[in-house]
Amino acid sequence: LGGYTRFEHDKFKDLNYRALLGGGPRYRFFDTKAQHLSVYLGLAYVFEDLNSRTVNRYLAARPSLANNCRSAGADCPDTRRDFVSLALGDEFRMKITDTLSVFQLLDVYPNVQDVSDTLVHAEAGLRQKVLGNLYLGLGLADDFDNKPTDGRKKNDFQYFGNLGYEF
């Protein structure tokens, strides 16, 4: 049993912020130095503040949020939404050699009231040890939002590289 949080901001997706809080059980199929595979299933609460002209808004497990329109009498859409979602995913790591490994992560958050409104985060990549516990990582990530703000694409692909230290 575990918990998790996630906080995002992305001006290119008109996302002022997205906060996610959840928990649930995780099952490890195997967890050795050579390989790891685990899956989890739980519930999460997602709260978003969007910078958009129109937002499809739905709520679960609490009363609706009030509009916060700054211009009196104007037709100002609510740019906030929150929902309860399922939380499911997996994590996989495998050593190819003593210094090279591959990894894959998947997080899926379908809205329990509208399963067509789903958020997905996926990553895959390589880690190469360079000196002791210091490593270089390269990979590809995709953030998928089935109902993005107006004019935005559903998929947001990112290439990444990082330098890290493994304890």
Side-chain angles (χ1 to χ4, degrees):
L1 192 63
Y4 44 86
T5 60
R6 185 172 176 168
F7 186 82
E8 300 175 57
H9 164 76
D10 191 332
K11 67 180 180 180
F12 300 110
K13 291 192 287 188
D14 287 334
L15 180 64
N16 291 332
Y17 63 86
R18 176 183 294 136
L20 188 143
L21 176 66
R26 176 178 292 266
Y27 181 78
R28 290 186 181 105
F29 289 97
F30 42 85
D31 190 12
T32 67
K33 288 189 178 202
Q35 49 189 338
H36 169 92
L37 175 62
S38 63
V39 296
Y40 71 90
L41 175 65
L43 288 175
Y45 176 74
V46 180
F47 181 83
E48 297 177 326
D49 185 13
L50 307 166
N51 184 15
S52 175
R53 292 187 196 126
T54 60
V55 173
N56 292 329
R57 189 165 159 245
Y58 50 88
L59 303 173
R62 70 184 206 135
S64 77
L65 298 168
N67 274 345
N68 188 13
C69 187
R70 294 188 178 143
S71 40
D75 183 19
C76 183
D78 193 356
T79 62
R80 296 179 180 184
R81 69 177 187 163
D82 65 338
F83 57 91
V84 173
S85 77
L86 290 175
L88 54 130
D90 74 347
E91 179 181 359
F92 174 73
R93 293 186 310 268
M94 184 172 74
K95 259 185 159 179
I96 305 297
T97 68
D98 286 341
T99 60
L100 180 67
S101 62
V102 296
F103 66 91
Q104 173 269 317
L105 304 168
L106 177 66
D107 299 310
V108 182
Y109 303 101
N111 182 331
V112 295
Q113 289 186 327
D114 178 9
V115 180
S116 71
D117 186 11
T118 299
L119 302 170
V120 178
H121 176 79
E123 291 182 21
L126 300 169
R127 275 190 177 178
Q128 174 67 50
K129 283 190 176 184
V130 289
L131 182 63
N133 288 349
L134 193 66
Y135 67 85
L136 175 66
L138 298 172
L140 173 69
D142 179 25
D143 285 311
F144 174 82
D145 185 347
N146 200 43
K147 292 189 176 180
T149 57
D150 290 342
R152 301 299 179 200
K153 294 181 180 178
K154 292 181 178 185
N155 285 36
D156 182 14
F157 290 101
Q158 306 160 32
Y159 298 99
F160 63 87
N162 56 25
L163 188 62
Y165 188 85
E166 192 171 293
F167 293 93

